[in-house]
Amino acid sequence: MTQLKTGAAVWLRVVVAAAFVASAMSQTVDLVVPSIPANQEDSPLANLWNQALRKQTGVVRSDEPTVKTYLAPNYVEVINWVPQDSAHPLYVADYQPLLREILRDYMVAAEVLPDDQRMTQPNGLTVTNLNGKKVTFKNTATGITVNNIPVEESKVNADGTVNYVLAESLFGHRERVNTAWEENNKKNPTRFGPLGRPLNPAPPPPPPTA
C-alpha cells in the first residue's frame, strides 16, 4: 500500500475536517425552524410553517433561533405560489430543505419596530434574516418597504415581536417554488386537489350505444 507523504496526509485531514465542519454548519443553518408562537398562527405562512415543524426532527427548544421580527407575503401571494388544485412541492419530502430556507428568510432575530427612525435614512435600516441574507427596511412618504417591496400591514405584538405583511415575496420565492412545482409534476404526474390531496379519478365513459 502506498503511504502518503506527511505533508499530503496533513492536507487531506484538513480538507476532510473542513468539509465535515461545513456540512455540520449547513445542517444547523438549514434545518432549524423555530416553533410557531400563538401570535403567528394566523400568518399567511402558518400552514407551511406547521408542515416544516411536523417534518423537523431532533430539535429541542433550546436549539431554536430567537426571532423578534416576522415577515410574510400576503395570503393571495402565498396561495399563488402554485396553481390551484395541484400538488404543492413544499409538502413533498424532497423539498423540505427549500421550505425551511424560505421560512427562515422571513424571520429576523433583531427587533425592527415600525416607528424606528433609522428606516427614514437614505439607505434605510439593514438587518440580516436567519439565513444571513440582507433585509432592508425603508420608511418614506409612501410608506414602509422591505427590500423595496411595499408593506401592507405592520403590527407590534403583545410580547414585543413585530409582524410585517408584504405585497410580494422576498428573494424570488414565488419563482423558486414554481420551479419546484414544475420539477415535482414531472416526477409525480398524479393530479392533486386542494391541500395536495389526490383528485378523484374521472368516471369511466358510458358504454357505446348500439
Side-chain angles (χ1 to χ4, degrees):
M1 179 178 177
T2 303
Q3 292 185 344
L4 289 173
K5 294 183 179 179
T6 303
V10 171
W11 174 250
L12 180 60
R13 287 197 295 270
V14 169
V15 170
V16 171
F20 177 81
V21 171
S23 175
M25 290 179 63
S26 175
Q27 290 179 358
T28 300
V29 170
D30 292 342
L31 295 184
V32 179
V33 174
S35 300
I36 183 168
N39 59 41
Q40 297 302 310
E41 290 178 352
D42 61 350
S43 165
L45 295 172
N47 288 338
L48 292 171
W49 195 341
N50 281 315
Q51 163 66 13
L53 293 174
R54 283 193 293 269
K55 299 299 182 180
Q56 182 167 262
T57 59
V59 176
V60 296
R61 290 298 293 260
S62 60
D63 295 331
E64 295 180 356
T66 300
V67 180
K68 295 291 184 66
T69 302
Y70 296 94
L71 311 170
N74 64 40
Y75 284 101
V76 174
E77 172 73 4
V78 174
I79 289 172
N80 285 322
W81 278 354
V82 299
Q84 295 293 307
D85 294 338
S86 64
H88 201 307
L90 298 184
Y91 288 87
V92 177
D94 289 349
Y95 297 100
Q96 292 309 292
L98 174 61
L99 170 58
R100 291 189 287 269
E101 178 190 349
I102 288 174
L103 291 171
R104 288 168 57 93
D105 274 347
Y106 292 101
M107 300 178 187
V108 176
E111 179 187 74
V112 183
L113 297 171
D115 60 356
D116 192 317
Q117 291 303 302
R118 291 174 292 178
M119 293 187 196
T120 63
Q121 298 173 355
N123 294 327
L125 170 61
T126 298
V127 296
T128 56
N129 63 21
L130 293 190
N131 292 325
K133 300 176 185 177
K134 291 183 178 180
V135 182
T136 299
F137 293 78
K138 291 185 178 180
N139 193 349
T140 66
T142 58
I144 299 175
T145 62
V146 177
N147 287 10
N148 297 319
I149 295 174
V151 170
E152 295 185 343
E153 180 183 347
S154 61
K155 175 186 176 184
V156 180
N157 301 308
D159 62 357
T161 59
V162 189
N163 293 0
Y164 291 92
V165 177
L166 312 180
E168 300 174 17
S169 305
L170 291 173
F171 305 111
H173 290 154
R174 185 170 186 170
E175 293 75 16
R176 293 184 66 190
V177 173
N178 188 258
T179 297
W181 175 81
E182 292 175 348
E183 293 174 351
N184 188 53
N185 274 354
K186 291 178 180 178
K187 293 186 293 185
N188 305 290
T190 305
R191 297 177 65 219
F192 285 78
L195 303 180
R197 296 171 181 159
L199 293 172
N200 292 325
T209 57

